[in-house]
Amino acid sequence: MAKKKTEQRTFDDVISLLGKERFDVVRASEGATKGTAYRVTKYGCAAEIAKDTDGTVEITHRAGFLLNGQIATILDRGYQKFLKTPKLEIAATADHLRSIHHFSEEFKEATGSMSLYNESLGTTSDKYMYDRVQGRE
């Protein structure tokens, strides 16, 4: 069986495809260190992308739920997941996590990013901070 080769999409192709898939795409006020970043939003979630030097897409900020205009990361404390920005932290609800998962799957499909098996099963956390292992190496 031949290995399936994935086609890398150009940045312009991705921007066009995101618009067709009803994502909102605007210039990001903060974000990428390389060039100009664009914020992609849908379902109350967002990610940021920029044009890489080879003309493809660079994801400069991973997908997360929007809280007060900032993209929150998912913090897992073992007993509960939280949405965290530099100024705010709230408990993540099932609706938050479903929105992030739905957004991430559509975003990866549009950008041509690799979809990993464990991520397709549900939302994965950005950071794990279990109380019972705190302080251990």
Side-chain angles (χ1 to χ4, degrees):
M1 180 182 272
K3 195 174 184 180
K4 186 178 177 184
K5 187 175 181 180
T6 58
E7 178 186 329
Q8 282 208 320
R9 296 183 175 123
T10 67
F11 182 78
D12 295 332
D13 290 343
V14 169
I15 293 292
S16 175
L17 186 57
L18 288 168
K20 289 178 187 173
E21 294 295 323
R22 299 181 186 244
F23 284 89
D24 291 325
V25 181
V26 297
R27 285 196 189 269
S29 56
E30 303 171 5
T33 54
K34 297 179 184 177
T36 305
Y38 287 83
R39 180 170 280 191
V40 180
T41 59
K42 189 175 185 180
Y43 308 124
C45 300
E48 289 185 4
I49 60 174
K51 189 173 189 174
D52 207 350
T53 53
D54 62 357
T56 60
V57 172
E58 176 186 11
I59 298 173
T60 58
H61 200 293
R62 192 180 141 147
F65 202 81
L66 280 174
L67 293 176
N68 293 336
Q70 294 183 313
I71 302 172
T73 57
I74 301 174
L75 173 62
D76 189 331
R77 291 211 171 107
Y79 60 92
Q80 172 79 48
K81 290 187 186 292
F82 294 86
L83 299 175
K84 182 171 178 49
T85 67
K87 296 180 181 180
L88 182 65
E89 182 177 313
I90 64 168
T93 65
D95 288 337
H96 290 136
L97 299 175
R98 272 192 291 273
S99 293
I100 295 167
H101 179 70
H102 196 57
F103 174 86
S104 295
E105 289 297 308
E106 287 186 21
F107 179 71
K108 286 178 189 174
E109 180 71 30
T111 58
S113 298
M114 185 183 303
S115 186
L116 302 174
Y117 175 74
N118 66 319
E119 293 175 341
S120 67
L121 296 175
T123 309
T124 57
S125 299
D126 297 305
K127 194 171 188 180
Y128 296 88
M129 303 214 27
Y130 300 131
D131 291 344
R132 65 184 178 277
V133 295
Q134 195 169 7
R136 281 201 239 164
E137 291 183 26

